[in-house]
Amino acid sequence: MQKREAKSLNGLWQFAYLGEASADAVAVAQLRWQERVLVPSAFDAMSQHAGKRGLAAYGCELTVPVGRKARLRFGAVSMWSAIYVDGEELTQHHCGYAPFDVELPVSEREVRQLVVLVDNRYDFERIPMHEEYFDFYQYGGILREVKLELLPEGPAYLDYVHILPTEGYRDGEVEIRIGLSGVALPDTVALTVAFDGGPVQTMEAVAVANGQACVRTRVAQPQLWSLTSPHLHQAEVGMVGGDAVACRFGLRHVEARSGKLWLNGEVLQLRGYNRHEWHPNFGPCTPLAQMYNDLVLMRDMGCNFVRGCHYPQDQQFLDLCDELGMLVWEENLGWGQGERTFASEAFAAHHDRTLRNMVKFSANHPSVIIWGFMNEAHTEFAYTRSFFERTIADLRSMDPSRIISWASNHPLDDLNFDLVDLISLNIYPGWYGCPGVREPLKMIEPHWLECFASIDGRGFADKPIIISETGVEGLYGWRDPHNDFFTEAYQAAYLEIACRLATEHPRSSGIALWHFSDARTYSGGYSMGRPRTFNNKGTFDEYRRPKQAYASVKAIFQRAAQGA
Ligand code: ADA
């Protein structure tokens, strides 16, 4: 077997900021480099380009053995990008947070010229997945790792290998789904599988349909992945006499049934946060140490759950969640879209490609238990129905082992709840829509109960419910005798009520507070509702300094964790 060779291209790349230029007008072979910048990084998170919106170019040299096939794996390139090798455009990509692959053509030259054009200007026609009204700052650059993989000789290679636990997970049963790519795909394939360095199993003549082959087998010494014992198994999967790849996976089973969530056959209560990938010093390119620190802070508070809002997550972050034992909701990019978006064929095509890549890159992470999409789309309107039906069908066909949900801010009139496994509510009673209310905190519980009753009254009592977002702005250091909106005290009082309800009410399967740490959002005129141009609803400020709410959230979550 030829084990796959991969090399990271992270490091200093050539860079040129091209401003108002149009990508169509750029001759990539004649670019005049201006500086060298670190990949991964967001060029507009760096002081010299802070806040700029325009076209930029990144360049580096690749070494690929003459005549050898290879592919590039991009963790995320934002917001629009075009990938050129030796002056030839290989692909364009239209979502700044989704991973993607691109194959390199074979060449007689060993040293290849890679140029990546990126553009962080909003343009609904070109990148309908990105809109300026989303409540988080969207950057430009090569935001996550870039890898070069040498591909095997021969007509087909392993595009992906997914190892999904089945209902027989306790006995180590898994379904192995492999995706094949190449110039000629076989009708059948002979596979080899070895777990944890053990004996090699061979499966002859496995049928290949639509580029995918699928087999079930068992791990010899199964150990479950759980929050307290997050055991990871290793696998090496190959084609007899051909390509082989190594991957990690976990034996765990998640379910949504009888109005509850279940993990490995036990009722599960989710306690945690929505987390944007963001830090004031790095923008959306948070270093691994910060990802780790954030998870340690959450776990120390008694959290077991993080919603990766509102886009596909960095693979490094998901690796940490696998290894530490943290449950993850991963979702495709989306934020409050309405009719114009659902009518856009370009949006549907971009969303489909990025959704498939989110699953392709993340399917082996046992920490990911929920696939989400289209945060707060206008699901009170029928025009969302067919898109939701198709997206859910796609998710189920790619991966039947996970729970599907979306975060709805239409708890009383969402038209698509019948399609979902887990009903997730973004609700902010006592914050939005209560001018003139003398005691807004008293609005919280009645509204939660009204939502629960409405959902059960519509026949969804068998579906678990979580509060996927709730919270209020608390400005770090703002303490005032009025304890009014924007004070740390109001935020602390609010979150105490929310966490108590979420961990004690029988109809609640948990909560993801909005949100973990303050983060940059709107700029200019959009920012009037966002002091500092930040979303200040973090329990921590942007430097992860705890606000007053931290103590009460931690006390309630830790108590609930002990009772779990
Ligand atoms: C919504 C949205 C979040 C954030 C939040 C808020 O629920 O999903 O991204 O904007 O509201 O702070 O109002």
Side-chain angles (χ1 to χ4, degrees):
M1 276 190 282
Q2 297 171 348
K3 258 188 86 178
R4 190 70 61 81
E5 298 168 57
K7 173 187 170 211
S8 176
L9 299 179
N10 289 356
L12 290 179
W13 288 33
Q14 297 291 359
F15 179 80
Y17 182 66
L18 306 172
E20 293 306 308
S22 159
D24 304 339
V26 172
V28 294
Q30 277 92 44
L31 280 163
R32 295 169 58 84
W33 302 115
Q34 301 160 359
E35 55 189 306
R36 299 217 295 162
V37 301
L38 183 69
V39 166
S41 70
F43 70 81
D44 50 341
M46 290 183 264
S47 51
Q48 69 269 36
H49 299 294
K52 291 180 184 174
R53 289 204 177 275
L55 186 70
Y58 291 76
C60 82
E61 287 190 346
L62 306 173
T63 302
V64 179
V66 172
R68 188 71 186 273
K69 282 194 304 183
R71 72 175 175 180
L72 291 163
R73 312 206 84 184
F74 291 93
V77 190
S78 191
M79 296 183 338
W80 173 88
S81 60
I83 312 300
Y84 292 80
V85 169
D86 301 333
E88 177 192 352
E89 182 183 288
L90 301 184
T91 192
Q92 293 186 11
H93 198 257
H94 307 85
C95 172
Y97 293 96
F100 63 99
D101 292 317
V102 57
E103 269 192 43
L104 270 62
V106 170
S107 169
E108 290 314 308
R109 279 184 290 191
E110 183 175 47
V111 178
R112 317 289 289 277
Q113 303 302 321
L114 169 62
V115 170
V116 177
L117 295 185
V118 303
D119 196 328
N120 67 347
R121 288 172 287 190
Y122 294 100
D123 175 341
F124 184 77
E125 298 316 312
R126 186 163 74 159
I127 45 172
M129 290 189 79
H130 288 271
E131 299 232 39
E132 193 159 10
Y133 67 78
F134 292 178
D135 188 5
F136 52 97
Y137 197 90
Q138 299 163 70
Y139 289 81
I142 301 179
L143 305 188
R144 298 175 185 163
E145 183 169 34
V146 184
K147 286 181 183 171
L148 173 67
E149 269 191 350
L150 297 184
L151 298 174
E153 311 295 341
Y157 68 88
L158 295 171
D159 183 18
Y160 61 82
V161 171
H162 291 163
I163 302 185
L164 305 175
T166 68
E167 293 76 6
Y169 69 103
R170 286 190 178 285
D171 300 325
E173 188 182 68
V174 292
E175 182 166 283
I176 300 177
R177 296 183 172 202
I178 70 162
L180 295 173
S181 276
V183 293
L185 300 188
D187 295 331
T188 64
V189 63
L191 296 175
T192 58
V193 180
F195 293 117
D196 308 311
V200 177
Q201 307 171 39
T202 300
M203 292 105 175
E204 299 292 349
V206 179
V208 177
N210 303 317
Q212 189 179 74
C214 183
V215 289
R216 287 198 172 196
T217 184
R218 288 184 192 284
V219 179
Q221 279 90 32
Q223 293 185 57
L224 296 190
W225 185 93
S226 70
L227 289 167
T228 51
S229 173
H231 182 80
L232 294 167
H233 282 286
Q234 309 294 329
E236 188 160 296
V237 179
M239 296 189 286
V240 172
D243 195 10
V245 296
C247 49
R248 258 181 11 176
F249 65 99
L251 291 170
R252 60 100 184 92
H253 189 50
V254 286
E255 299 166 89
R257 59 180 166 80
S258 311
K260 298 288 182 191
L261 289 172
W262 305 77
L263 176 65
N264 297 342
E266 294 180 14
V267 173
L268 172 66
Q269 179 189 79
L270 298 177
R271 295 178 302 279
Y273 281 95
N274 285 272
R275 178 181 178 272
H276 270 300
E277 198 60 78
W278 192 81
H279 185 280
N281 296 345
F282 310 102
C285 306
T286 317
L288 189 61
Q290 189 62 60
M291 294 177 182
Y292 170 73
N293 287 344
D294 289 354
L295 287 168
V296 167
L297 273 174
M298 282 187 235
R299 286 164 56 81
D300 178 64
M301 293 175 75
C303 300
N304 61 8
F305 177 57
V306 55
R307 178 177 176 227
C309 58
H310 294 293
Y311 34 75
Q313 298 294 293
D314 192 312
Q315 291 297 309
Q316 298 180 102
F317 181 72
L318 298 179
D319 284 339
L320 283 177
C321 292
D322 292 342
E323 293 157 20
L324 289 170
M326 195 76 169
L327 299 169
V328 178
W329 162 321
E330 188 174 22
E331 64 181 20
N332 200 12
L333 175 62
W335 198 93
Q337 281 107 327
E339 193 155 17
R340 180 177 72 152
T341 298
F342 286 91
S344 161
E345 290 181 11
F347 176 82
H350 300 165
H351 186 273
D352 178 68
R353 180 184 183 191
T354 49
L355 186 88
R356 292 182 175 282
N357 276 329
M358 177 176 80
V359 175
K360 172 177 166 181
F361 279 74
S362 293
N364 287 334
H365 291 289
S367 56
V368 177
I369 59 167
I370 298 167
W371 295 126
F373 60 98
M374 295 308 283
N375 172 68
E376 293 196 346
H378 281 278
T379 44
E380 77 277 22
F381 293 118
Y383 61 66
T384 62
R385 181 81 183 178
S386 59
F387 181 96
F388 273 62
E389 285 173 339
R390 187 175 68 251
T391 300
I392 289 170
D394 284 352
L395 284 169
R396 290 210 198 288
S397 71
M398 289 188 279
D399 173 12
S401 74
R402 286 178 171 90
I403 290 164
I404 294 172
S405 191
W406 67 86
S408 171
N409 58 343
H410 296 284
L412 307 178
D413 59 350
D414 193 302
L415 298 179
N416 301 329
F417 278 159
D418 60 306
L419 300 172
V420 76
D421 299 327
L422 164 66
I423 292 178
S424 304
L425 307 179
N426 290 0
I427 48 177
Y428 291 85
W431 178 254
Y432 292 120
C434 56
V437 172
R438 298 278 18 101
E439 297 180 294
L441 289 174
K442 290 187 174 173
M443 298 176 71
I444 302 171
E445 182 163 359
H447 183 64
W448 282 43
L449 299 182
E450 181 191 11
C451 294
F452 293 162
S454 165
I455 286 162
D456 291 352
R458 281 182 278 162
F460 301 128
D462 64 320
K463 297 179 188 287
I465 299 173
I466 65 168
I467 305 302
S468 39
E469 288 186 29
T470 194
V472 297
E473 304 251 338
L475 301 179
Y476 182 78
W478 177 229
R479 303 189 181 182
D480 174 72
H482 288 234
N483 294 329
D484 205 339
F485 275 29
F486 293 102
T487 60
E488 286 194 39
Y490 186 76
Q491 184 190 40
Y494 190 100
L495 295 187
E496 181 162 357
I497 295 168
C499 292
R500 197 178 302 287
L501 272 172
T503 54
E504 294 173 7
H505 194 283
R507 197 61 184 91
S508 163
S509 287
I511 187 166
L513 294 173
W514 186 269
H515 55 154
F516 174 70
S517 55
D518 295 348
R520 185 183 301 282
T521 179
Y522 303 118
S523 55
Y526 275 103
S527 63
M528 284 315 292
R530 291 281 182 268
R532 315 188 296 154
T533 72
F534 275 51
N535 186 311
N536 301 283
K537 297 188 180 72
T539 295
F540 298 83
D541 82 342
E542 59 273 24
Y543 293 99
R544 280 65 172 175
R545 296 177 296 190
K547 300 175 190 174
Q548 198 175 320
Y550 166 77
S552 48
V553 172
K554 178 175 180 178
I556 295 169
F557 278 1
Q558 281 188 336
R559 188 163 51 246
Q562 283 141 23

